[in-house]
Each structure stands twice: as structure tokens, then as C-alpha cells.
Amino acid sequence: MITTVERNKETLRRFHDAVSTGDEEIISRTIDEVVQPDVQIRTPLPIETTGTSALKEVFTVLRRAFPDLHIEIEDVIAEGDRVVTRNTVTGTHRGEYMGVPPTGRTITYKEILIARFTDGRVAETWAVVDVMSQLRQLGVLPGPNAGGA
């Protein structure tokens, strides 16, 4: 018998897999299926929308900038109603991102996502994204990753 914790882990994997398809319809439909409509996103975002609309907007912006965006789950840790994934994200910069015009550079960065579940769906999220690494790889900031990954 599959436990609630295992089911929640599988749901978060399904979410990440949908994002990696690059298909806006699949991403949108999966968000509607696995995320509570009024999800609380605890990561500061430069957008006005909330709930699932905010998640859809975030991934639309990311897909426009990095059409081949791919999320590779490195670790999944779960306890109670929370699931944590440590991910490696890759993509090729083909569209504007945070004011940076397309560079054609491939970037690789790390992120950690914590999701709290209610009734089998994501109800709250916290994310830590290595934005400094993104900006270094895009050549915006000096550093060891400037010029590409």
C-alpha cells in the first residue's frame, strides 16, 4: 500500500516532469491537477498574480527565456505533509530574462523546493534558487561562471 508521503513525493516528481516537457498545455494542466488553486507561494516573486496563476506565470516567463528548461531532481526528502527536492536546472538562454537579452548561453543552476501538501495537492511552497549563478553564467555579474557553464 502506498503511503501519503510516497504519493506526495510522486506528485512533486510529476510536477517537475511536466515543467521539463516544455509544453505549456501540459504544464498548465498539471499545475491545475496537483496544486491547490489558492497555493501560497512564499518565495518573493516580481509578479502581481497569486495562486496557481502565479505558478503558471513563473513557468511561462522561464520557458520564454529558456525554452529547453529541464529540472533534474537530485534528492527527494519527505516527512509528514512536506516534500523537499534538491534540483539541478539547465536551459539555453533564448529569450529575455530579468532584463537580459538572449545570449545563447547554456546555464546550469541549483534550486531547493519545499512543498507542503493538503489533500494530496501542493498547498504552500518555498524555493531557494541560485540566481547569482544564473546571472554570472549570463555574463551579468563577474565571477567564475561568467561566460558559460
Side-chain angles (χ1 to χ4, degrees):
M1 172 171 238
I2 189 165
T3 66
T4 300
V5 170
E6 288 301 316
R7 191 169 30 256
N8 290 347
K9 286 167 58 175
E10 199 51 47
T11 298
L12 203 54
R13 281 189 188 98
R14 181 175 167 218
F15 172 80
H16 288 317
D17 288 346
V19 170
S20 292
T21 66
D23 185 315
E24 299 273 339
E25 188 175 314
I26 290 172
I27 295 167
S28 180
R29 185 174 64 242
T30 302
I31 288 171
D32 287 340
E33 292 171 2
V34 305
V35 178
Q36 296 284 354
D38 60 347
V39 62
Q40 297 295 305
I41 301 169
R42 302 299 184 188
T43 306
L45 297 172
I47 58 176
E48 297 296 320
T49 56
T50 60
T52 54
S53 295
L55 273 182
K56 291 174 185 180
E57 186 174 337
V58 164
F59 287 109
T60 296
V61 168
L62 283 171
R63 302 261 4 122
R64 226 178 272 137
F66 305 98
D68 60 345
L69 187 78
H70 179 76
I71 301 172
E72 183 72 30
I73 298 173
E74 304 292 340
D75 288 309
V76 180
I77 303 164
E79 185 172 333
D81 63 353
R82 313 241 173 165
V83 178
V84 179
T85 59
R86 182 180 63 87
N87 308 314
T88 298
V89 183
T90 56
T92 307
H93 187 216
R94 302 274 183 221
E96 185 271 330
Y97 180 66
M98 294 194 329
V100 180
T103 63
R105 293 178 177 170
T106 299
I107 67 168
T108 300
Y109 62 93
K110 303 293 185 181
E111 70 178 13
I112 296 172
L113 175 70
I114 303 169
R116 182 180 61 78
F117 284 76
T118 301
D119 299 325
R121 295 170 78 184
V122 176
E124 190 171 12
T125 66
W126 299 263
V128 178
V129 177
D130 189 354
V131 176
M132 295 292 282
S133 179
Q134 290 175 343
L135 296 176
R136 283 189 188 110
Q137 292 176 64
L138 295 176
V140 174
L141 296 177
N145 294 327

